[in-house]
PDB file of all heavy atoms in Angstrom:
ATOM      1  N   LEU A  22     -38.995 -41.971  22.220  1.00 98.00           N
ATOM      2  CA  LEU A  22     -38.048 -42.892  22.828  1.00 98.00           C
ATOM      3  C   LEU A  22     -38.139 -42.786  24.322  1.00 98.00           C
ATOM      4  O   LEU A  22     -37.661 -41.766  24.899  1.00 98.00           O
ATOM      5  CB  LEU A  22     -36.557 -42.752  22.357  1.00 98.00           C
ATOM      6  CG  LEU A  22     -35.623 -43.703  22.798  1.00 98.00           C
ATOM      7  CD1 LEU A  22     -35.879 -45.064  22.299  1.00 98.00           C
ATOM      8  CD2 LEU A  22     -34.159 -43.321  22.507  1.00 98.00           C
ATOM      9  N   GLN A  23     -38.712 -43.769  25.015  1.00 98.00           N
ATOM     10  CA  GLN A  23     -38.729 -43.763  26.459  1.00 98.00           C
ATOM     11  C   GLN A  23     -37.470 -44.447  26.988  1.00 98.00           C
ATOM     12  O   GLN A  23     -37.258 -45.614  26.703  1.00 98.00           O
ATOM     13  CB  GLN A  23     -39.965 -44.544  26.931  1.00 98.00           C
ATOM     14  CG  GLN A  23     -40.117 -44.617  28.554  1.00 98.00           C
ATOM     15  CD  GLN A  23     -40.336 -43.259  29.232  1.00 98.00           C
ATOM     16  OE1 GLN A  23     -41.075 -42.551  28.711  1.00 98.00           O
ATOM     17  NE2 GLN A  23     -39.520 -42.996  30.222  1.00 98.00           N
ATOM     18  N   MET A  24     -36.638 -43.719  27.788  1.00 98.00           N
ATOM     19  CA  MET A  24     -35.398 -44.149  28.356  1.00 98.00           C
ATOM     20  C   MET A  24     -35.466 -44.369  29.785  1.00 98.00           C
ATOM     21  O   MET A  24     -35.658 -43.314  30.395  1.00 98.00           O
ATOM     22  CB  MET A  24     -34.261 -43.322  27.870  1.00 98.00           C
ATOM     23  CG  MET A  24     -34.124 -43.017  26.264  1.00 98.00           C
ATOM     24  SD  MET A  24     -32.737 -42.078  25.760  1.00 98.00           S
ATOM     25  CE  MET A  24     -33.167 -40.511  26.622  1.00 98.00           C
ATOM     26  N   ASN A  25     -35.402 -45.599  30.278  1.00 98.00           N
ATOM     27  CA  ASN A  25     -35.425 -45.827  31.685  1.00 98.00           C
ATOM     28  C   ASN A  25     -34.048 -46.437  32.065  1.00 98.00           C
ATOM     29  O   ASN A  25     -33.236 -46.924  31.344  1.00 98.00           O
ATOM     30  CB  ASN A  25     -36.550 -46.818  31.945  1.00 98.00           C
ATOM     31  CG  ASN A  25     -37.968 -46.354  31.720  1.00 98.00           C
ATOM     32  OD1 ASN A  25     -38.097 -45.111  31.842  1.00 98.00           O
ATOM     33  ND2 ASN A  25     -38.813 -47.263  31.336  1.00 98.00           N
ATOM     34  N   SER A  26     -33.771 -46.433  33.329  1.00 98.00           N
ATOM     35  CA  SER A  26     -32.595 -46.982  34.016  1.00 98.00           C
ATOM     36  C   SER A  26     -31.375 -46.412  33.236  1.00 98.00           C
ATOM     37  O   SER A  26     -30.431 -47.202  32.824  1.00 98.00           O
ATOM     38  CB  SER A  26     -32.648 -48.448  33.981  1.00 98.00           C
ATOM     39  OG  SER A  26     -33.794 -49.005  34.646  1.00 98.00           O
ATOM     40  N   LEU A  27     -31.301 -45.164  33.104  1.00 98.00           N
ATOM     41  CA  LEU A  27     -30.268 -44.503  32.327  1.00 98.00           C
ATOM     42  C   LEU A  27     -28.906 -44.605  32.993  1.00 98.00           C
ATOM     43  O   LEU A  27     -28.813 -44.665  34.231  1.00 98.00           O
ATOM     44  CB  LEU A  27     -30.507 -43.010  32.113  1.00 98.00           C
ATOM     45  CG  LEU A  27     -31.545 -42.832  30.943  1.00 98.00           C
ATOM     46  CD1 LEU A  27     -32.063 -41.304  31.113  1.00 98.00           C
ATOM     47  CD2 LEU A  27     -30.864 -42.934  29.509  1.00 98.00           C
ATOM     48  N   LYS A  28     -27.838 -44.802  32.171  1.00 98.00           N
ATOM     49  CA  LYS A  28     -26.501 -45.057  32.611  1.00 98.00           C
ATOM     50  C   LYS A  28     -25.550 -44.043  32.012  1.00 98.00           C
ATOM     51  O   LYS A  28     -25.864 -43.515  31.053  1.00 98.00           O
ATOM     52  CB  LYS A  28     -25.991 -46.478  32.235  1.00 98.00           C
ATOM     53  CG  LYS A  28     -26.869 -47.617  32.605  1.00 98.00           C
ATOM     54  CD  LYS A  28     -26.271 -48.915  31.941  1.00 98.00           C
ATOM     55  CE  LYS A  28     -27.191 -50.078  32.215  1.00 98.00           C
ATOM     56  NZ  LYS A  28     -26.658 -51.398  31.726  1.00 98.00           N
ATOM     57  N   PRO A  29     -24.574 -43.717  32.749  1.00 98.00           N
ATOM     58  CA  PRO A  29     -23.607 -42.652  32.184  1.00 98.00           C
ATOM     59  C   PRO A  29     -23.150 -42.983  30.732  1.00 98.00           C
ATOM     60  O   PRO A  29     -22.967 -42.035  29.979  1.00 98.00           O
ATOM     61  CB  PRO A  29     -22.363 -42.768  33.217  1.00 98.00           C
ATOM     62  CG  PRO A  29     -22.962 -43.217  34.375  1.00 98.00           C
ATOM     63  CD  PRO A  29     -24.119 -44.172  34.055  1.00 98.00           C
ATOM     64  N   GLU A  30     -22.926 -44.236  30.405  1.00 97.00           N
ATOM     65  CA  GLU A  30     -22.653 -44.621  29.039  1.00 97.00           C
ATOM     66  C   GLU A  30     -23.745 -44.295  28.017  1.00 97.00           C
ATOM     67  O   GLU A  30     -23.421 -44.364  26.804  1.00 97.00           O
ATOM     68  CB  GLU A  30     -22.218 -46.051  29.021  1.00 97.00           C
ATOM     69  CG  GLU A  30     -23.212 -47.035  29.556  1.00 97.00           C
ATOM     70  CD  GLU A  30     -22.770 -47.468  30.943  1.00 97.00           C
ATOM     71  OE1 GLU A  30     -22.482 -46.558  31.626  1.00 97.00           O
ATOM     72  OE2 GLU A  30     -22.840 -48.672  31.318  1.00 97.00           O
ATOM     73  N   ASP A  31     -24.826 -43.958  28.482  1.00 98.00           N
ATOM     74  CA  ASP A  31     -25.942 -43.505  27.479  1.00 98.00           C
ATOM     75  C   ASP A  31     -25.800 -42.028  27.119  1.00 98.00           C
ATOM     76  O   ASP A  31     -26.430 -41.581  26.209  1.00 98.00           O
ATOM     77  CB  ASP A  31     -27.331 -43.702  28.028  1.00 98.00           C
ATOM     78  CG  ASP A  31     -27.635 -45.087  28.363  1.00 98.00           C
ATOM     79  OD1 ASP A  31     -27.467 -45.940  27.518  1.00 98.00           O
ATOM     80  OD2 ASP A  31     -28.291 -45.361  29.460  1.00 98.00           O
ATOM     81  N   THR A  32     -24.807 -41.332  27.765  1.00 98.00           N
ATOM     82  CA  THR A  32     -24.545 -39.994  27.412  1.00 98.00           C
ATOM     83  C   THR A  32     -24.153 -39.841  25.907  1.00 98.00           C
ATOM     84  O   THR A  32     -23.142 -40.418  25.489  1.00 98.00           O
ATOM     85  CB  THR A  32     -23.427 -39.388  28.299  1.00 98.00           C
ATOM     86  OG1 THR A  32     -23.923 -39.311  29.690  1.00 98.00           O
ATOM     87  CG2 THR A  32     -23.150 -37.979  27.910  1.00 98.00           C
ATOM     88  N   ALA A  33     -24.850 -39.029  25.217  1.00 98.00           N
ATOM     89  CA  ALA A  33     -24.524 -38.742  23.708  1.00 98.00           C
ATOM     90  C   ALA A  33     -25.541 -37.779  23.238  1.00 98.00           C
ATOM     91  O   ALA A  33     -26.441 -37.318  23.932  1.00 98.00           O
ATOM     92  CB  ALA A  33     -24.774 -40.077  22.958  1.00 98.00           C
ATOM     93  N   VAL A  34     -25.152 -37.359  21.999  1.00 98.00           N
ATOM     94  CA  VAL A  34     -26.162 -36.632  21.190  1.00 98.00           C
ATOM     95  C   VAL A  34     -27.041 -37.496  20.572  1.00 98.00           C
ATOM     96  O   VAL A  34     -26.638 -38.565  19.875  1.00 98.00           O
ATOM     97  CB  VAL A  34     -25.567 -35.632  20.150  1.00 98.00           C
ATOM     98  CG1 VAL A  34     -26.624 -34.897  19.394  1.00 98.00           C
ATOM     99  CG2 VAL A  34     -24.678 -34.612  20.962  1.00 98.00           C
ATOM    100  N   TYR A  35     -28.468 -37.420  20.674  1.00 98.00           N
ATOM    101  CA  TYR A  35     -29.314 -38.372  20.164  1.00 98.00           C
ATOM    102  C   TYR A  35     -30.039 -37.702  18.908  1.00 98.00           C
ATOM    103  O   TYR A  35     -30.466 -36.586  19.024  1.00 98.00           O
ATOM    104  CB  TYR A  35     -30.438 -38.741  21.215  1.00 98.00           C
ATOM    105  CG  TYR A  35     -30.049 -39.801  22.210  1.00 98.00           C
ATOM    106  CD1 TYR A  35     -28.949 -39.413  23.138  1.00 98.00           C
ATOM    107  CD2 TYR A  35     -30.457 -41.020  22.147  1.00 98.00           C
ATOM    108  CE1 TYR A  35     -28.630 -40.347  23.982  1.00 98.00           C
ATOM    109  CE2 TYR A  35     -29.952 -41.979  23.031  1.00 98.00           C
ATOM    110  CZ  TYR A  35     -29.021 -41.600  23.979  1.00 98.00           C
ATOM    111  OH  TYR A  35     -28.598 -42.511  24.915  1.00 98.00           O
ATOM    112  N   TYR A  36     -30.008 -38.339  17.802  1.00 98.00           N
ATOM    113  CA  TYR A  36     -30.417 -37.916  16.483  1.00 98.00           C
ATOM    114  C   TYR A  36     -31.744 -38.570  16.067  1.00 98.00           C
ATOM    115  O   TYR A  36     -31.634 -39.953  16.123  1.00 98.00           O
ATOM    116  CB  TYR A  36     -29.438 -37.966  15.463  1.00 98.00           C
ATOM    117  CG  TYR A  36     -28.183 -37.096  15.709  1.00 98.00           C
ATOM    118  CD1 TYR A  36     -27.101 -37.630  16.440  1.00 98.00           C
ATOM    119  CD2 TYR A  36     -28.155 -35.792  15.278  1.00 98.00           C
ATOM    120  CE1 TYR A  36     -26.052 -36.850  16.570  1.00 98.00           C
ATOM    121  CE2 TYR A  36     -26.929 -35.129  15.485  1.00 98.00           C
ATOM    122  CZ  TYR A  36     -25.967 -35.617  16.095  1.00 98.00           C
ATOM    123  OH  TYR A  36     -24.850 -34.805  16.413  1.00 98.00           O
ATOM    124  N   CYS A  37     -32.707 -38.068  15.667  1.00 97.00           N
ATOM    125  CA  CYS A  37     -33.939 -38.569  15.087  1.00 97.00           C
ATOM    126  C   CYS A  37     -33.543 -38.812  13.580  1.00 97.00           C
ATOM    127  O   CYS A  37     -32.972 -37.997  12.924  1.00 97.00           O
ATOM    128  CB  CYS A  37     -35.132 -37.666  15.181  1.00 97.00           C
ATOM    129  SG  CYS A  37     -36.586 -38.285  14.489  1.00 97.00           S
ATOM    130  N   ASN A  38     -34.104 -39.890  13.075  1.00 96.00           N
ATOM    131  CA  ASN A  38     -33.953 -40.194  11.664  1.00 96.00           C
ATOM    132  C   ASN A  38     -35.292 -40.622  11.107  1.00 96.00           C
ATOM    133  O   ASN A  38     -36.081 -41.408  11.808  1.00 96.00           O
ATOM    134  CB  ASN A  38     -32.931 -41.464  11.471  1.00 96.00           C
ATOM    135  CG  ASN A  38     -32.845 -41.808  10.036  1.00 96.00           C
ATOM    136  OD1 ASN A  38     -33.545 -42.750   9.571  1.00 96.00           O
ATOM    137  ND2 ASN A  38     -32.063 -41.214   9.184  1.00 96.00           N
ATOM    138  N   ALA A  39     -35.557 -40.123   9.828  1.00 95.00           N
ATOM    139  CA  ALA A  39     -36.756 -40.605   9.236  1.00 95.00           C
ATOM    140  C   ALA A  39     -36.467 -41.119   7.791  1.00 95.00           C
ATOM    141  O   ALA A  39     -35.677 -40.532   7.095  1.00 95.00           O
ATOM    142  CB  ALA A  39     -37.811 -39.405   8.964  1.00 95.00           C
ATOM    143  N   TYR A  40     -36.951 -42.214   7.419  1.00 95.00           N
ATOM    144  CA  TYR A  40     -36.792 -42.937   6.080  1.00 95.00           C
ATOM    145  C   TYR A  40     -38.154 -42.647   5.413  1.00 95.00           C
ATOM    146  O   TYR A  40     -39.112 -43.353   5.730  1.00 95.00           O
ATOM    147  CB  TYR A  40     -36.459 -44.355   6.349  1.00 95.00           C
ATOM    148  CG  TYR A  40     -36.145 -45.056   5.134  1.00 95.00           C
ATOM    149  CD1 TYR A  40     -34.911 -44.845   4.277  1.00 95.00           C
ATOM    150  CD2 TYR A  40     -36.921 -46.166   4.644  1.00 95.00           C
ATOM    151  CE1 TYR A  40     -34.737 -45.469   3.119  1.00 95.00           C
ATOM    152  CE2 TYR A  40     -36.549 -46.890   3.540  1.00 95.00           C
ATOM    153  CZ  TYR A  40     -35.491 -46.490   2.785  1.00 95.00           C
ATOM    154  OH  TYR A  40     -35.167 -47.311   1.640  1.00 95.00           O
ATOM    155  N   TYR A  41     -38.228 -41.762   4.485  1.00 93.00           N
ATOM    156  CA  TYR A  41     -39.548 -41.288   3.945  1.00 93.00           C
ATOM    157  C   TYR A  41     -39.401 -41.159   2.453  1.00 93.00           C
ATOM    158  O   TYR A  41     -38.401 -41.097   1.863  1.00 93.00           O
ATOM    159  CB  TYR A  41     -39.857 -40.064   4.652  1.00 93.00           C
ATOM    160  CG  TYR A  41     -39.292 -38.822   4.137  1.00 93.00           C
ATOM    161  CD1 TYR A  41     -40.055 -37.858   3.307  1.00 93.00           C
ATOM    162  CD2 TYR A  41     -37.898 -38.520   4.335  1.00 93.00           C
ATOM    163  CE1 TYR A  41     -39.485 -36.820   2.749  1.00 93.00           C
ATOM    164  CE2 TYR A  41     -37.400 -37.309   3.825  1.00 93.00           C
ATOM    165  CZ  TYR A  41     -38.000 -36.455   3.090  1.00 93.00           C
ATOM    166  OH  TYR A  41     -37.555 -35.393   2.535  1.00 93.00           O
ATOM    167  N   ARG A  42     -40.574 -40.958   1.903  1.00 93.00           N
ATOM    168  CA  ARG A  42     -40.648 -40.580   0.461  1.00 93.00           C
ATOM    169  C   ARG A  42     -41.524 -39.315   0.315  1.00 93.00           C
ATOM    170  O   ARG A  42     -42.611 -39.306   1.046  1.00 93.00           O
ATOM    171  CB  ARG A  42     -41.128 -41.650  -0.349  1.00 93.00           C
ATOM    172  CG  ARG A  42     -42.371 -42.382  -0.137  1.00 93.00           C
ATOM    173  CD  ARG A  42     -42.646 -43.536  -1.033  1.00 93.00           C
ATOM    174  NE  ARG A  42     -43.863 -44.301  -0.597  1.00 93.00           N
ATOM    175  CZ  ARG A  42     -44.296 -45.221  -1.354  1.00 93.00           C
ATOM    176  NH1 ARG A  42     -43.821 -45.541  -2.596  1.00 93.00           N
ATOM    177  NH2 ARG A  42     -45.439 -45.979  -0.945  1.00 93.00           N
ATOM    178  N   ARG A  43     -41.169 -38.373  -0.478  1.00 92.00           N
ATOM    179  CA  ARG A  43     -41.983 -37.147  -0.580  1.00 92.00           C
ATOM    180  C   ARG A  43     -43.233 -37.362  -1.345  1.00 92.00           C
ATOM    181  O   ARG A  43     -44.259 -36.813  -1.024  1.00 92.00           O
ATOM    182  CB  ARG A  43     -41.177 -36.086  -1.308  1.00 92.00           C
ATOM    183  CG  ARG A  43     -41.611 -34.664  -1.168  1.00 92.00           C
ATOM    184  CD  ARG A  43     -40.698 -33.710  -1.824  1.00 92.00           C
ATOM    185  NE  ARG A  43     -41.140 -32.446  -1.804  1.00 92.00           N
ATOM    186  CZ  ARG A  43     -40.582 -31.255  -2.252  1.00 92.00           C
ATOM    187  NH1 ARG A  43     -39.374 -31.555  -3.038  1.00 92.00           N
ATOM    188  NH2 ARG A  43     -41.179 -30.063  -2.196  1.00 92.00           N
ATOM    189  N   TYR A  44     -43.208 -38.095  -2.475  1.00 94.00           N
ATOM    190  CA  TYR A  44     -44.400 -38.464  -3.221  1.00 94.00           C
ATOM    191  C   TYR A  44     -44.373 -39.999  -3.412  1.00 94.00           C
ATOM    192  O   TYR A  44     -43.503 -40.723  -3.172  1.00 94.00           O
ATOM    193  CB  TYR A  44     -44.282 -37.737  -4.568  1.00 94.00           C
ATOM    194  CG  TYR A  44     -43.987 -36.237  -4.467  1.00 94.00           C
ATOM    195  CD1 TYR A  44     -42.781 -35.650  -4.764  1.00 94.00           C
ATOM    196  CD2 TYR A  44     -45.100 -35.418  -4.213  1.00 94.00           C
ATOM    197  CE1 TYR A  44     -42.689 -34.179  -4.667  1.00 94.00           C
ATOM    198  CE2 TYR A  44     -44.965 -34.035  -4.057  1.00 94.00           C
ATOM    199  CZ  TYR A  44     -43.753 -33.460  -4.238  1.00 94.00           C
ATOM    200  OH  TYR A  44     -43.703 -32.103  -4.228  1.00 94.00           O
ATOM    201  N   SER A  45     -45.568 -40.373  -3.976  1.00 94.00           N
ATOM    202  CA  SER A  45     -45.807 -41.734  -4.066  1.00 94.00           C
ATOM    203  C   SER A  45     -44.789 -42.399  -5.083  1.00 94.00           C
ATOM    204  O   SER A  45     -44.488 -43.672  -5.062  1.00 94.00           O
ATOM    205  CB  SER A  45     -47.188 -42.081  -4.558  1.00 94.00           C
ATOM    206  OG  SER A  45     -47.440 -41.466  -5.824  1.00 94.00           O
ATOM    207  N   TYR A  46     -44.210 -41.730  -6.070  1.00 95.00           N
ATOM    208  CA  TYR A  46     -43.323 -42.245  -7.029  1.00 95.00           C
ATOM    209  C   TYR A  46     -41.865 -41.903  -6.648  1.00 95.00           C
ATOM    210  O   TYR A  46     -41.029 -42.276  -7.474  1.00 95.00           O
ATOM    211  CB  TYR A  46     -43.652 -41.511  -8.403  1.00 95.00           C
ATOM    212  CG  TYR A  46     -43.738 -39.954  -8.323  1.00 95.00           C
ATOM    213  CD1 TYR A  46     -42.514 -39.165  -8.296  1.00 95.00           C
ATOM    214  CD2 TYR A  46     -44.975 -39.302  -8.178  1.00 95.00           C
ATOM    215  CE1 TYR A  46     -42.498 -37.838  -8.314  1.00 95.00           C
ATOM    216  CE2 TYR A  46     -45.006 -37.912  -8.092  1.00 95.00           C
ATOM    217  CZ  TYR A  46     -43.798 -37.103  -8.196  1.00 95.00           C
ATOM    218  OH  TYR A  46     -43.796 -35.766  -8.074  1.00 95.00           O
ATOM    219  N   SER A  47     -41.682 -41.288  -5.552  1.00 94.00           N
ATOM    220  CA  SER A  47     -40.297 -40.952  -5.043  1.00 94.00           C
ATOM    221  C   SER A  47     -39.682 -42.132  -4.391  1.00 94.00           C
ATOM    222  O   SER A  47     -40.272 -42.982  -3.711  1.00 94.00           O
ATOM    223  CB  SER A  47     -40.283 -39.804  -4.129  1.00 94.00           C
ATOM    224  OG  SER A  47     -40.967 -38.641  -4.763  1.00 94.00           O
ATOM    225  N   PRO A  48     -38.296 -42.250  -4.466  1.00 94.00           N
ATOM    226  CA  PRO A  48     -37.665 -43.182  -3.729  1.00 94.00           C
ATOM    227  C   PRO A  48     -37.591 -42.843  -2.210  1.00 94.00           C
ATOM    228  O   PRO A  48     -37.730 -41.648  -1.906  1.00 94.00           O
ATOM    229  CB  PRO A  48     -36.141 -43.210  -4.333  1.00 94.00           C
ATOM    230  CG  PRO A  48     -36.086 -41.841  -4.807  1.00 94.00           C
ATOM    231  CD  PRO A  48     -37.458 -41.452  -5.311  1.00 94.00           C
ATOM    232  N   TYR A  49     -37.414 -43.809  -1.317  1.00 95.00           N
ATOM    233  CA  TYR A  49     -37.197 -43.531   0.032  1.00 95.00           C
ATOM    234  C   TYR A  49     -35.766 -42.927   0.313  1.00 95.00           C
ATOM    235  O   TYR A  49     -34.706 -43.420  -0.265  1.00 95.00           O
ATOM    236  CB  TYR A  49     -37.329 -44.744   0.824  1.00 95.00           C
ATOM    237  CG  TYR A  49     -38.832 -45.231   1.094  1.00 95.00           C
ATOM    238  CD1 TYR A  49     -39.367 -46.154   0.292  1.00 95.00           C
ATOM    239  CD2 TYR A  49     -39.551 -44.601   2.192  1.00 95.00           C
ATOM    240  CE1 TYR A  49     -40.797 -46.513   0.515  1.00 95.00           C
ATOM    241  CE2 TYR A  49     -40.849 -44.929   2.309  1.00 95.00           C
ATOM    242  CZ  TYR A  49     -41.489 -45.895   1.508  1.00 95.00           C
ATOM    243  OH  TYR A  49     -42.736 -46.270   1.670  1.00 95.00           O
ATOM    244  N   VAL A  50     -35.770 -41.956   1.163  1.00 94.00           N
ATOM    245  CA  VAL A  50     -34.513 -41.248   1.454  1.00 94.00           C
ATOM    246  C   VAL A  50     -34.415 -41.097   2.989  1.00 94.00           C
ATOM    247  O   VAL A  50     -35.506 -41.137   3.668  1.00 94.00           O
ATOM    248  CB  VAL A  50     -34.305 -39.998   0.791  1.00 94.00           C
ATOM    249  CG1 VAL A  50     -34.136 -40.131  -0.753  1.00 94.00           C
ATOM    250  CG2 VAL A  50     -35.328 -38.951   1.055  1.00 94.00           C
ATOM    251  N   ASP A  51     -33.220 -40.886   3.499  1.00 94.00           N
ATOM    252  CA  ASP A  51     -33.044 -40.561   4.926  1.00 94.00           C
ATOM    253  C   ASP A  51     -32.917 -39.104   5.215  1.00 94.00           C
ATOM    254  O   ASP A  51     -32.359 -38.374   4.398  1.00 94.00           O
ATOM    255  CB  ASP A  51     -31.732 -41.218   5.375  1.00 94.00           C
ATOM    256  CG  ASP A  51     -31.845 -42.628   5.714  1.00 94.00           C
ATOM    257  OD1 ASP A  51     -32.665 -43.078   6.569  1.00 94.00           O
ATOM    258  OD2 ASP A  51     -31.155 -43.510   5.026  1.00 94.00           O
ATOM    259  N   TYR A  52     -33.544 -38.608   6.286  1.00 95.00           N
ATOM    260  CA  TYR A  52     -33.401 -37.302   6.821  1.00 95.00           C
ATOM    261  C   TYR A  52     -33.143 -37.300   8.336  1.00 95.00           C
ATOM    262  O   TYR A  52     -33.525 -38.113   8.996  1.00 95.00           O
ATOM    263  CB  TYR A  52     -34.672 -36.466   6.495  1.00 95.00           C
ATOM    264  CG  TYR A  52     -34.383 -35.042   6.370  1.00 95.00           C
ATOM    265  CD1 TYR A  52     -33.917 -34.428   5.235  1.00 95.00           C
ATOM    266  CD2 TYR A  52     -34.655 -34.276   7.512  1.00 95.00           C
ATOM    267  CE1 TYR A  52     -33.594 -33.016   5.178  1.00 95.00           C
ATOM    268  CE2 TYR A  52     -34.418 -32.886   7.476  1.00 95.00           C
ATOM    269  CZ  TYR A  52     -33.938 -32.276   6.359  1.00 95.00           C
ATOM    270  OH  TYR A  52     -33.661 -30.964   6.313  1.00 95.00           O
TER     271      TYR A  52
END
């Protein structure tokens, strides 16, 4: 995530999220 022209209101904890499946037969889940 390239963040330019940052503002004070951008202040936060930023969390990465992955929507993935472990195996080909597995459902997608969030992590």
Side-chain angles (χ1 to χ4, degrees):
L22 186 68
Q23 179 66 46
M24 305 186 294
N25 298 326
S26 302
L27 283 162
K28 304 174 181 179
E30 50 263 45
D31 295 318
T32 296
V34 177
Y35 284 69
Y36 296 91
C37 180
N38 173 267
Y40 185 65
Y41 81 105
R42 53 181 177 174
R43 191 176 182 186
Y44 303 105
S45 62
Y46 52 83
S47 302
Y49 282 95
V50 296
D51 280 298
Y52 201 85

